[in-house]
Amino acid sequence: IMNRPVRESAGKNYLIMTFSEAVKTCLVDKYATLLGRATRSELWWFFFFKCLLALFCFLLVPLANKFLCWLILFIAILLILPEYAAMVRRLHDTGRSGWWIFIQCIPYLGTIILFILLCLPSDGDNKYGSKLQ
């Protein structure tokens, strides 16, 4: 934690992850870990990584052969688990249970509510751990 930048705003400290730290954390350190917490920067940088990868694959698919298309699909499936794990950890950071992720099953409104919950700031130390983990 000491080597990561911490930003102070309104008397509260917020851990800021870089793009590479967030991708490494989600893919290597906490691939399928539902325990603990995730900062906003961790979740949104990983989401940005997935968007960049999807854009790259979208541009590559017209040029790809059948094997490459299957490889792209396999990679997309492998990235579902760390994305949902990061969302659960992010919900923990806001003091909510990971079960809130299922609110997105409500068409349209559920996705909007989940997006808002994922954007909320940390609520400080809670039952899921200390704020700067």
Side-chain angles (χ1 to χ4, degrees):
I1 292 176
M2 296 311 232
N3 59 356
R4 292 185 185 164
V6 175
R7 176 176 53 111
E8 187 172 330
S9 174
K12 297 179 181 178
N13 291 327
Y14 297 98
L15 183 66
I16 300 170
M17 276 195 176
T18 64
F19 177 79
S20 59
E21 284 178 330
V23 172
K24 180 185 177 288
T25 299
C26 290
L27 290 180
V28 178
D29 300 337
K30 297 180 178 181
Y31 180 80
T33 303
L34 301 176
L35 301 174
R37 300 167 70 150
T39 62
R40 285 187 281 192
S41 59
E42 178 183 339
L43 176 70
W44 296 115
W45 276 127
F46 185 67
F47 183 74
F48 181 65
F49 166 75
K50 282 195 62 179
C51 289
L52 288 178
L53 192 62
L55 178 64
F56 174 75
C57 292
F58 178 74
L59 296 174
L60 187 66
V61 166
L63 306 172
N65 59 20
K66 199 178 269 190
F67 171 74
L68 196 53
C69 288
W70 282 108
L71 180 64
I72 291 169
L73 178 64
F74 181 69
I75 291 170
I77 291 170
L78 286 178
L79 290 177
I80 291 172
L81 193 56
E83 179 183 22
Y84 277 88
M87 285 195 286
V88 167
R89 291 192 312 271
R90 179 72 202 122
L91 287 167
H92 288 172
D93 193 48
T94 64
R96 288 169 181 76
S97 167
W99 291 103
W100 273 94
I101 203 163
F102 291 108
I103 199 163
Q104 68 183 332
C105 294
I106 300 170
Y108 307 110
L109 182 63
T111 303
I112 294 168
I113 292 170
L114 181 62
F115 176 76
I116 291 169
L117 292 176
L118 294 174
C119 290
L120 292 175
S122 171
D123 71 338
D125 295 345
N126 62 27
K127 66 181 180 180
Y128 300 104
S130 64
K131 184 168 78 170
L132 293 176
Q133 278 191 347

